[in-house]
Amino acid sequence: MSGDQKKTTHIPVLLREVIEQLDLSPGLVVVDGTVGAGGHSQHILRKIGKEGILIGLDRDEMMLNFAKEKLQLEKSSVGQWHLKQASYAELPRVLDELQLKSIDRILLDLGLSSDQLGDVERGFGFESSGELDLRFDTRSGVPAWKLLETLSESELSEILEVYGEERFSHRIAAQIVRQRKSAPIRMAVDLTKAVHEAVPHKALTSARKNPATRVFQALRIAANKELEQLQTMLETVLPQVLKPGGRAAIISFHSLEDRLVKQAFKNQAIWKRLTQKPIVGTQAEQRVNPRCRTAKLRVAIKT
């Protein structure tokens, strides 16, 4: 379903903190590498003014449609903005297309959007009636249901353990292999059912969130090659495209991503850390926007 057929429900996390830490001023070239529904970008545009340039990237066409609607509301008072369907790891190519050599600021919000969770066609939500795809860009890669159909039990277990930090990875992988012999796991509800059958009853009843949460996370990361994309960004792209004195702000939502960001920003030959500890949401924001509870913002300046 395209962005002009429904309204975004997504609330940008840590908005005040992000705008403050980016230290924006008129005329800057800013990249929102995960533009989503445009919540952060809308405020960035206002700060960089008519002389500024905003580049918004997202792998998800649906989210770009949302962002376009939001940014068009700002067009009378702001400068250039460009939206591109691309991964942030492809930023050098996008800059070449726009005839830009470097940038002043970059923001990455690595979380899943509320709009994506609500998109029944790709299976992001546990109760989704759509096919278990989980790809942001359905033009490339392999859908999650295909991974469940073709990977061995040990390969599935490793994905769940490494990408989901799932303590019952072996049990769940074994259940998936058993279940697919009689019926393919093609829908989100099929996978949720397999997880609930594999997890011990005590863990099911005591769980504070859906026991399938880490499994969906792991498969989504695998289907989109998210950690490989982030590593490429941190190790190669950012040092290449960010001007000396430029700022990078990155919001992560689970320990795997946060660990990579923290490690990269420790490299004093490239970065000066502005956040020794990550910035987290206030209690007030966490009450209003539950997604903020696990958000961690780290910021560094390119030396």
Side-chain angles (χ1 to χ4, degrees):
M1 193 178 288
S2 66
D4 58 6
Q5 290 175 294
K6 58 183 180 179
K7 295 297 182 184
T8 177
T9 61
H10 186 72
I11 303 171
V13 300
L14 300 171
L15 178 60
R16 179 179 58 81
E17 292 84 351
V18 163
I19 298 303
E20 184 179 289
Q21 290 294 323
L22 284 175
D23 189 31
L24 300 166
S25 58
L28 293 181
V29 178
V30 182
V31 171
D32 187 339
T34 47
V35 70
H40 289 111
S41 279
Q42 187 178 36
H43 291 267
I44 290 170
L45 267 179
R46 294 171 187 169
K47 290 286 187 179
I48 62 176
K50 292 188 175 181
E51 304 85 16
I53 300 174
L54 171 76
I55 302 160
L57 309 180
D58 210 291
R59 297 165 76 180
D60 192 331
E61 185 181 18
M62 179 184 76
M63 300 312 300
L64 287 171
N65 287 332
F66 283 134
K68 184 178 180 181
E69 283 189 1
K70 187 159 284 184
L71 298 187
Q72 280 177 335
L73 299 174
E74 304 291 324
K75 63 183 178 182
S76 62
S77 59
V78 299
Q80 293 183 55
W81 53 270
H82 308 272
L83 296 178
K84 301 283 186 180
Q85 188 175 7
S87 163
Y88 51 70
E90 299 175 278
L91 181 55
R93 172 182 63 77
V94 173
L95 292 179
D96 283 344
E97 290 174 4
L98 296 173
Q99 298 183 319
L100 292 167
K101 291 183 178 179
S102 57
I103 63 173
D104 299 294
R105 304 285 189 271
I106 187 161
L107 167 67
L108 299 180
D109 175 349
L110 303 174
L112 194 65
S113 159
S114 305
D115 300 305
Q116 288 167 320
L117 284 169
D119 181 12
V120 297
E121 295 172 11
R122 285 178 291 169
F124 286 112
F126 305 124
E127 305 303 325
S128 170
S129 57
E131 200 167 66
L132 189 67
D133 193 304
L134 298 184
R135 288 175 296 170
F136 300 136
D137 184 351
T138 55
R139 303 172 302 175
S140 62
V142 178
W145 67 260
K146 192 76 172 175
L147 296 177
L148 293 175
E149 189 177 82
T150 57
L151 295 180
S152 68
E153 183 177 326
S154 61
E155 288 171 325
L156 285 169
S157 178
E158 184 178 9
I159 283 175
L160 300 183
E161 186 175 345
V162 175
Y163 293 161
E165 299 178 302
E166 172 56 63
R167 61 180 172 143
F168 300 116
S169 58
H170 299 296
R171 295 177 64 135
I172 295 169
Q175 177 62 28
I176 288 169
V177 170
R178 277 195 300 272
Q179 191 166 314
R180 75 188 184 188
K181 288 176 182 176
S182 56
I185 300 174
R186 293 293 292 264
M187 308 293 180
V189 289
D190 299 330
L191 178 59
T192 302
K193 180 174 178 286
V195 173
H196 284 214
E197 289 181 0
V199 171
H201 180 71
K202 185 178 180 181
L204 272 180
T205 54
S206 63
R208 286 184 294 176
K209 56 186 177 182
N210 194 310
T213 300
R214 292 179 181 275
V215 175
F216 273 71
Q217 171 188 300
L219 287 170
R220 192 199 76 228
I221 289 172
N224 292 290
K225 294 183 165 49
E226 291 178 41
L227 295 186
E228 292 94 327
Q229 297 273 322
L230 181 58
Q231 212 146 14
T232 298
M233 186 64 171
L234 292 168
E235 294 175 3
T236 306
V237 176
L238 276 183
Q240 176 187 336
V241 303
L242 196 60
K243 291 177 184 176
R247 294 190 179 207
I250 304 179
I251 304 171
S252 60
F253 288 82
H254 56 76
S255 59
L256 296 170
E257 293 169 339
D258 185 55
R259 206 174 297 136
L260 289 176
V261 177
K262 180 182 178 181
Q263 200 60 39
F265 283 173
K266 276 184 176 179
N267 185 347
Q268 294 181 7
I270 302 174
W271 301 105
K272 175 187 175 184
R273 286 188 292 169
L274 295 183
T275 48
Q276 298 301 314
K277 292 183 178 180
I279 297 170
V280 297
T282 62
Q283 289 186 346
E285 183 180 1
Q286 290 180 36
R287 282 195 298 270
V288 174
N289 186 6
R291 285 185 70 257
C292 185
R293 290 173 189 161
T294 56
K296 293 181 178 180
L297 170 64
R298 293 187 186 272
V299 188
I301 293 178
K302 168 88 176 295
T303 57

